[in-house]
């Protein structure tokens, strides 16, 4: 069955083959393709995502240190297949629903940001976030999150390291 409708593919399929320009990008279950994209193309193509392109400055133990557009450093505990290459650009991807606004024992601080927009949309709310020269989208179920926001409010963004997908720039 061939379709260009992602919702249809996810609803009807046990396995999906994602093609781009005649090349296999990823083969897997809908959950695998969404949760563990093989490359930045798959990550951008399937669902909504935050994609930050940063240069790897150094590695400090199990922490990878990236240069932010603001000049500050972003230190992330990352697992990446392959050897890190200092000075190379990497795409760091995470889904909007994976962003947290509170610290837990399992997450790490990503950035402090300003709320540039907020939209209530029934079951979900969306936050447009800006900070350190980066624009992010966060979505939260209104069942689990009762926070609304006003523009210019400052929020801390937290994320589980398992939610981060790192790809060397193509």
């Amino acid at each position: 069955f061939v379709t260009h409708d992602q919702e249809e593919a996810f609803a009807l399929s046990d396995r999906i083959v994602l093609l781009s320009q005649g090349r296999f990008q990823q083969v897997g279950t809908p959950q695998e393709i969404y949760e563990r994209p093989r490359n930045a193309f798959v990550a951008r193509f399937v669902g909504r995502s935050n994609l930050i392109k940063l240069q790897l400055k150094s590695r400090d133990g199990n922490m990878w240190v990236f240069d932010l557009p603001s000049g500050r450093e972003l230190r992330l505990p990352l697992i990446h297949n392959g050897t890190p290459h200092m000075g190379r650009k990497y795409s760091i991807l995470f889904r909007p629903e994976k962003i947290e606004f509170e610290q837990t024992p399992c997450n790490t601080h990503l950035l402090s940001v300003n709320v540039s927009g907020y939209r209530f949309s029934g079951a979900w709310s969306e936050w447009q976030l800006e900070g350190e020269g980066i624009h992010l989208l966060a979505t939260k179920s209104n069942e689990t999150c009762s926070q609304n926001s006003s523009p210019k409010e400052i929020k801390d963004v937290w994320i589980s390291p398992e939610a981060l997908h790192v790809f060397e720039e193509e």
Side-chain angles (χ1 to χ4, degrees), residues 26-52:
Q26 187 166 349
V27 178
T29 67
Q31 293 84 1
E32 288 169 343
I33 289 173
Y34 184 81
E35 294 291 335
R36 292 180 302 284
R38 182 185 299 172
N39 58 39
F41 172 82
V42 173
R44 283 189 304 264
F45 186 79
V46 176
R48 297 169 84 184
S49 58
N50 292 300
L51 190 65
I52 304 170

Side-chain angles (χ1 to χ4, degrees), residues 42-152:
V42 173
R44 283 189 304 264
F45 186 79
V46 176
R48 297 169 84 184
S49 58
N50 292 300
L51 190 65
I52 304 170
K53 295 180 182 182
L54 299 174
Q55 185 171 351
L56 181 60
K57 181 178 181 176
S58 63
R59 183 173 179 181
D60 183 11
N62 68 342
M63 302 296 279
W64 286 27
V65 183
F66 293 92
D67 283 326
L68 290 167
S70 67
R72 289 190 51 236
E73 291 181 347
L74 176 62
R75 300 173 65 82
L76 295 174
L78 293 176
I79 300 169
H80 175 2
N81 295 334
T83 304
H85 300 281
M86 304 314 149
R88 285 207 184 150
K89 288 240 178 194
Y90 286 82
S91 294
I92 302 169
L93 173 120
F94 51 97
R95 302 290 183 186
E97 67 273 12
K98 300 294 185 180
I99 288 177
E100 299 292 337
F101 293 131
E102 296 176 2
Q103 184 178 14
T104 69
C106 299
N107 64 18
T108 188
H109 188 259
L110 189 63
L111 300 168
S112 293
V113 295
N114 289 314
V115 175
S116 59
Y118 169 78
R119 184 172 68 102
F120 174 84
S121 58
W124 292 86
S125 289
E126 291 184 356
W127 286 263
Q128 296 289 331
L129 308 168
E130 295 180 19
E132 302 293 340
I134 294 172
H135 301 275
L136 301 175
L137 173 67
T139 58
K140 290 283 160 211
S141 163
N142 287 326
E143 184 176 297
T144 59
C145 182
S146 60
Q147 300 180 7
N148 57 6
S149 295
S150 58
K152 303 299 178 197

